[in-house]
Amino acid sequence: MPKTEVREAAVRGASTRRVAWLLGPAFVAGVAYLDPGNVASNMTAGARFGYLLVWVVVIGNVMAWLIQYLSAKLGIVTGLSLPETLGRRIRSPWGRRAYWLQAELVAMATDIAEVIGGAVALNLLFGVPLVWGGLATGVVSLALLVLQSRGGARPFEFVVIGLVAIIAIGFAYGVFIAPPDGGAVVGGLLPRFEGTDSVLLAASILGATIMPHAIYAHSALARDRFRSGGSDAGFGTRRLLRATRWDVTIAMAIAGTVNLCILLLAAANLAGVPGTDSLEGAHAALAQNLGGMVATLFAVGLLASGLASTSVGAYAGAEIMHGLLRVRVPLVARRLVTLVPALVILAIGVDPTLALVLSQVVLSFGIPFALIPLVAVTARRDVLGEHRNRPLTTAAGVVASVFLVTLNGILLWLVFTGG
C-alpha cells in the first residue's frame, strides 16, 4: 500500500477513535429508559393486551430521541444544564424554589422506583428480604456515585454502558427463545386502544419512558464532557452535535429495542396468564413457561436496571438542586437521604409493583415542567445562537410536548377518578 494511502487510513482510524470518544453521555441518560418502571409497564401491557400497544413503545422512543438530543445540545452549546439555564432565567427566588420543589419530588420518585426495582430483583434471585435488598441497591449506587465524583465522567460511563449490556441480554434473551408472532407485531404498529385500561397502560409506558430527570441529567452530562464547547476534545461545536446525534441514536435504539423485547416477551408468553400484573408474578410465569434460565436472566436484567438507573437519578437530583438553588450537595450525602423513603416503603409492606406504578404517576406531574421549558429555550437565539432549533424541530418538539402532556393528563385523571 502506498505511503499516502497508509497515512490516509491512519487519519481515518484516528478520526473514528476520536468520534467514538465522544459517545457515552446518551447511554448514561438513556438508562432512565430502561429502569424498573419501564419493565413493570411493558410487562403488564404485553401480558394484558398482547401486541396492542407496540405502537406506543415505538412512538415513545422516537419522541425520546428528539427530547434527549435537545437536552444534550443545550449542555454542549451553552455549557449549562437545563436546571442552570432555568435558574438564571427565573428571576423570582420563590419561583425558583417552587420549580425546584416539583423537580426534586420527581427525582425522589425516580430514586424510589429504582431502589424498589433492585430490591425486588435481589429477592427474586437470592431470596433477600426487600428491605435488605433495597439497602444493598443503595450501597452499590453509592459506589457508582463515588466513581463518578472521583473518577470523572468517562469511567462512570463505562460502568453504566456495561450495565446496559447486561440489561439488554437479560430482557432480550427470552424473545429469541420464544419468538413473537411477526404478523401480530406488525399489527401492533397501528395506533388504537381497547378500553380505558389500555389508555392507562399507554400513558404509563410513556410516563415511564420519557422521564423528567433524564432531561435534566443529559444536559448536565453533556456539559461535563464538553464543558468548553468542544475545545477540550479538539472538536468544534457542530461536529460535537453531529457526534451527539449518533450517541443519542445508538442509545435510544438500544433502549427502544429492549423495551419492545420486554413487551413482546410478555405478549408472546404471558398473555392471559393470571398473576402477571406484578414483577414477582411475571418472573414466576416466565420460569414456568420458558424455564429457569429466562426467568433468571429477567431478574438479572431487572437488578442491573435498578443499579444503573438509581445512580443516574441521584446525579440528576444533585444537578437540579445546584442549578436552581445554587446549592451543591455531595452526591453520596444525597444518595443517603433519598434512600430513606424507599426503605420505609419496603419496610411497611407496600406492594412493590404498586409503589412502582405510583412513582410513575408522580413522574407524570413533572413531564411538562421539564419538557416545555426545554423546547422553549432551545428555540431561542439568545440562548443557543446559530444552533437554535430549526422551525421544523421546534414544531416537532411542540407536537411531542402536547401529546405527552395530554396523555399524562389522561393518566392522572384515570388514576384519581378511578375511570
Side-chain angles (χ1 to χ4, degrees), residues 61-71 248 374 393 396-398 400:
N61 209 62
V62 171
M63 290 189 293
W65 184 97
L66 174 63
I67 292 165
Q68 293 307 132
Y69 172 67
L70 293 182
S71 177
V248 175
L374 175 69
T393 303
V398 170

Side-chain angles (χ1 to χ4, degrees), residues 135-322:
L135 186 60
T137 302
V139 169
V140 175
S141 69
L142 276 174
L144 291 175
L145 291 172
V146 170
L147 174 66
Q148 194 276 339
S149 59
R150 296 185 179 181
R154 201 57 174 161
F156 181 63
E157 289 171 5
F158 282 134
V159 172
V160 172
I161 289 172
L163 290 171
V164 168
I166 295 173
I167 295 168
I169 294 171
F171 291 137
Y173 178 76
V175 174
F176 291 98
I177 296 299
D181 183 328
V185 175
V186 174
L189 294 173
L190 177 65
R192 66 194 191 281
F193 297 107
E194 290 182 2
T196 300
D197 287 346
S198 66
V199 178
L200 180 63
L201 267 174
S204 298
I205 290 171
L206 290 175
T209 299
I210 301 177
M211 290 189 169
H213 80 280
I215 300 174
Y216 299 126
H218 202 168
S219 58
L221 290 162
R223 174 206 62 197
D224 291 346
R225 279 286 300 277
F226 315 117
R227 188 180 300 274
S228 58
S231 62
D232 289 345
F235 287 88
T237 300
R238 289 190 179 278
R239 197 169 184 188
L240 279 175
L241 293 176
R242 284 198 298 270
T244 296
R245 285 193 285 271
W246 278 106
D247 190 25
V248 175
T249 298
I250 297 170
M252 291 299 100
I254 293 172
T257 300
V258 173
N259 279 316
L260 191 58
C261 283
I262 296 170
L263 188 147
L264 296 180
L265 177 65
N269 302 282
L270 304 181
V273 178
T276 53
D277 54 350
S278 69
L279 293 174
E280 297 91 340
H283 177 266
L286 287 174
Q288 181 176 355
N289 295 340
L290 298 181
M293 176 63 75
V294 173
T296 298
L297 286 175
F298 171 82
V300 169
L302 180 62
L303 177 60
S305 168
L307 293 176
S309 52
T310 190
S311 303
V312 177
Y315 174 88
E319 182 58 39
I320 289 168
M321 179 173 285
H322 170 66

Side-chain angles (χ1 to χ4, degrees), residues 71-127:
S71 177
K73 181 170 74 168
L74 178 67
I76 291 171
V77 176
T78 66
L80 300 172
S81 67
L82 180 59
E84 286 175 321
T85 301
L86 297 178
R88 294 186 179 191
R89 300 185 72 85
I90 301 174
R91 300 298 184 184
S92 168
W94 285 106
R96 285 197 302 273
R97 291 168 190 153
Y99 189 94
W100 165 79
L101 181 60
Q102 63 79 27
E104 193 68 45
L105 290 174
V106 165
M108 290 185 68
T110 300
D111 280 343
I112 290 172
E114 325 309 26
V115 172
I116 290 175
V120 170
L122 288 172
N123 178 261
L124 295 175
L125 287 169
F126 308 111

